[in-house]
Amino acid sequence: MKINIYICYLFTFLFFLSYGINAQVPTDIPLELRAQFNGQFDYKIIGNTLNEFDNWQNPPPPCQMLTESSANLDLDPDQEVVAAYLYWSGIGDGLFDPEVQLNGQTLFADEISVVDPEETNFVFWFGSFKNITEIVQQWGNSLYTFSELNLNPILNNYCSTAQYYSGWSIIVVYEDNTLPTQQVNIYDGLASVYGFGINATTIINIDNLNVVSTDNARMGFLAWNGSPNLFLNESISFNGNQLSNPPLNPVDNPFNGTNSYTGATDLWNMDLDFFDVSEFIEVGDTEATITFSSTFTRLIQNVVTVFRSELPDATVELVDFSGVGECDERDFTVETTVGNFDASDVLPINTPISFFVLDEDGEEVFLDTFFTQAEIAIDDSETQFLSITIPDEIPENTTLIAKVNTLEDGSNPINESNILNNDFEQELFLPTSPAPLTTQNLSQCTNLSESFFNLEVALEDAEDTDDEATFHLSQEDAEEGENSIENPADYNPTELIESLWVRIFDGNCFAVNSFEIQTLPPPEINAPEALSECDFSEEQLGFTEFDLTTKIDEITDGNPNYEVEFFTTQVEAEDLTIENGLTSPYTNENAFSQTLFVRVTDITNGCASFTELELEADLLPLIAEAEDMTAVEACDVDLIGEFTFDLTTQTLIILNGLEVIEHELQFYTSQTDAENNENEIINPEAFTSSGQEIFVRVTETETSCFSFTSFELIVNEIPPLQSGDPN
């Protein structure tokens, strides 16, 4: 029978050795410190396997597992539960049957660790963790039944290599005032001791010790997949010393399916064991090393150590903040308390307190390090007011982290009992004022009483925002958020120039910006009288040239800051993009009369006013032509060669039917004088002449248009008397 068993073992060994040549070693989930208890604490472990047989016996057992098993917790009356952790492990990835029960209560894992060979599809092992402190505190001493973990449906991939297992365990930490001060450390994860024919090791380093006595120094562990029948190069060492507690755990086969707490030897493929390590540690030691070795697949889910250790226990608390929550405030004072409560030694002076803050990616950014000012006795504390500056690149919502006994690089310079309680986190909201809204000045040309502004136009260049924007008459009101303008889309100013403020508020902070609105009075102008010009053309069709500049002073009252332009349409006049009006002189396009549209621009502000100018082309008076006039003759009865004429006697003939009352006749002795309106004959009713041509200027009194004509004055000599004349 023994020969057959050895052959079976040899075959299995060769199988794993061959498998190991081609397989990839799985990724270890290292054991890390889960919890640390300093004071009058100790622990108990209960648990059970779900394997019915040792997988490595001959003949091979049926490939199957149980779905439930039980274990009893029995604490003394003075032992008070302070923590309880449930562990379970088995084949697969932990998600095939994630729902388990403890005494009928359904539980799901808080954490799942998986050892996963990346290049195989069948060798998976998982370890699950659940904090059940409240449950055990409620149930206390009882029979605990773990159930509803059924991994049999996925056993096929594991039967051929006999690497299947499942089971559970509970670590119960309790406080007992009869105990000495000691340190209980719990490390967990799922570390593989996995050599495939080549001896492999897993090492756990324990630090933060200050051993004051070696009495009752212990190390316990929870391991899986061990066997009393198949083992090679197996050992557990503490500080380089191999451990054993025969007959349960021989030095060369510690993973043999035993329970050191109950003395059971049928904990198939599962080990709940502990060892006395008091001979392998010394007073004053500050660290220790545990090493697990095996050629075959062994998995370590947790390790528990108990040492008599006296150390300070630094904690930090951020009690109060000054300045936090104020807009744009990144400098503030933190009331910081460093304590040494669950301790067995004083906390030395110059213990560091480092501050970190989380950036937008959730990464820690170092801020500053401070130091305690004095020794802190057991159960005492020290308070300091520390000044902290948060960098501008840190987001508004962040976390401030204070770490006592921690330097910038994360190291812990002071040896203390519990480094798991060194951090204190405080959520921070550091409100930042929004960027002031981009504004632009507004102006419009109108009279003040008619001036209405849509103030929102001043924000047209601002970026879109959902934040509230309000308008205010003063900076003080804007900053206080008071007396906002009720209807900013239709605001009537009371002054020609006003400064206004716009406030943007994001619900926490505000920003203020200012802008000006200016009411620009348009030019004050006059409506001009019609501009009349005479049509001096021969055709007399009602077209003539107009000197438009002659109306400028009338329109502007001579204001030198006013620019006057003339246009043929109202649309052109009001289109300020058209900069040049009509040139002067201007010939009317419509016969006899035409309306021009006038734009008057104040060159000091660009505002314009508008009016109209009527053009009138007047015809000349239609009088008798010179060639149609008959000479005025008179006899020189006085024989002096002259005669006194009444030139006005020609009026009716000259007017040729025109109304006398509507015309003015002026008489001149030369054409030039008539045209220049110079040297007018003052007394045309008694004009003495020896005979000459008289030039007449006829002016229509309504239009001032005039025409010219002329006629001859002739003085006839009286012929001499003939002889024989009786007279």
Side-chain angles (χ1 to χ4, degrees), residues 316-357:
V316 63
E317 181 180 5
L318 304 182
V319 179
D320 194 14
F321 294 82
S322 175
V324 173
E326 298 179 8
C327 295
D328 305 314
E329 184 58 68
R330 293 279 171 143
D331 300 319
F332 51 87
T333 300
V334 182
E335 183 180 350
T336 307
T337 297
V338 174
N340 187 31
F341 298 110
D342 294 327
S344 53
D345 200 358
V346 297
L347 184 65
I349 190 174
N350 291 327
T351 298
I353 314 130
S354 294
F355 285 84
F356 301 80
V357 69

Side-chain angles (χ1 to χ4, degrees), residues 671-688:
Q671 178 71 30
T672 300
D673 286 345
E675 291 176 355
N676 293 330
N677 196 16
E678 296 176 345
N679 302 314
E680 178 185 355
I681 297 173
I682 302 304
N683 187 10
E685 292 86 358
F687 178 70
T688 300

Side-chain angles (χ1 to χ4, degrees), residues 369-387:
T369 297
F370 305 89
F371 298 89
T372 57
Q373 302 300 298
E375 284 188 349
I376 302 177
I378 298 172
D379 292 330
D380 204 353
S381 63
E382 174 186 282
T383 297
Q384 294 188 65
F385 293 87
L386 305 177
S387 296

Side-chain angles (χ1 to χ4, degrees), residues 80 117-118 143 177 203 220 282 316 351 375 379 413 417 449 514 537 567 630 638 648 657:
E80 181 181 352
E118 295 181 1
L143 180 68
N177 59 15
I203 298 175
E282 297 181 0
V316 63
T351 298
E375 284 188 349
D379 292 330
S417 62
S449 61
S514 65
S537 67
F567 301 87
T630 58
D638 294 330
T648 62

Side-chain angles (χ1 to χ4, degrees), residues 43-265:
Y43 76 96
K44 283 190 177 181
I45 294 182
I46 65 170
N48 208 340
T49 182
L50 294 176
N51 281 34
E52 295 183 89
F53 315 96
D54 174 36
N55 295 352
W56 302 102
Q57 66 186 30
N58 187 29
C63 188
Q64 63 187 32
M65 291 188 292
L66 302 172
T67 60
E68 70 174 58
S69 62
S70 301
N72 191 66
L73 175 63
D74 186 15
L75 296 175
D76 294 339
D78 293 333
Q79 295 174 342
E80 181 181 352
V81 176
V82 294
Y85 305 131
L86 171 65
Y87 298 87
W88 67 97
S89 182
I91 59 174
D93 60 5
L95 299 177
F96 174 76
D97 187 10
E99 179 181 322
V100 299
Q101 289 188 357
L102 187 66
N103 286 0
Q105 180 171 333
T106 299
L107 301 175
F108 291 90
D110 295 336
E111 301 171 16
I112 299 176
S113 302
V114 179
V115 174
D116 176 12
E118 295 181 1
E119 296 183 1
T120 68
N121 62 358
F122 61 91
V123 184
F124 286 77
W125 299 281
F126 77 90
S128 293
F129 166 83
K130 179 72 175 181
N131 189 328
I132 60 169
T133 301
E134 293 183 0
I135 294 175
V136 175
Q137 287 175 336
Q138 177 183 354
W139 292 346
N141 291 336
S142 177
L143 180 68
Y144 287 79
T145 299
F146 180 89
S147 62
E148 298 300 318
L149 179 63
N150 184 7
L151 302 179
N152 290 298
I154 60 173
L155 265 175
N156 288 339
N157 290 334
Y158 297 85
C159 289
S160 61
T161 61
Q163 294 189 98
Y164 59 89
Y165 72 85
S166 60
W168 62 280
S169 173
I170 300 175
I171 297 177
V172 179
V173 180
Y174 60 86
E175 186 173 18
D176 185 341
N177 59 15
T178 65
L179 293 172
T181 298
Q182 53 193 18
Q183 182 184 80
V184 178
N185 288 338
I186 299 174
Y187 303 83
D188 61 23
L190 192 62
S192 63
V193 184
Y194 198 22
F196 286 122
I198 302 173
N199 198 44
T201 61
T202 291
I203 298 175
I204 299 174
N205 294 313
I206 303 172
D207 51 16
N208 292 317
L209 298 177
N210 182 24
V211 178
V212 296
S213 171
T214 63
D215 292 348
N216 200 27
R218 288 164 286 141
M219 186 278 292
F221 66 93
L222 167 62
W224 303 101
N225 209 34
S227 170
N229 298 310
L230 180 66
F231 54 93
L232 181 65
N233 294 331
E234 290 189 346
S235 66
I236 300 175
S237 299
F238 187 88
N239 284 342
N241 301 283
Q242 290 189 349
L243 303 178
S244 65
N245 57 356
L248 281 181
N249 293 290
V251 69
D252 62 344
N253 186 16
F255 308 113
N256 58 355
T258 57
N259 186 336
S260 299
Y261 302 95
T262 64
T265 59

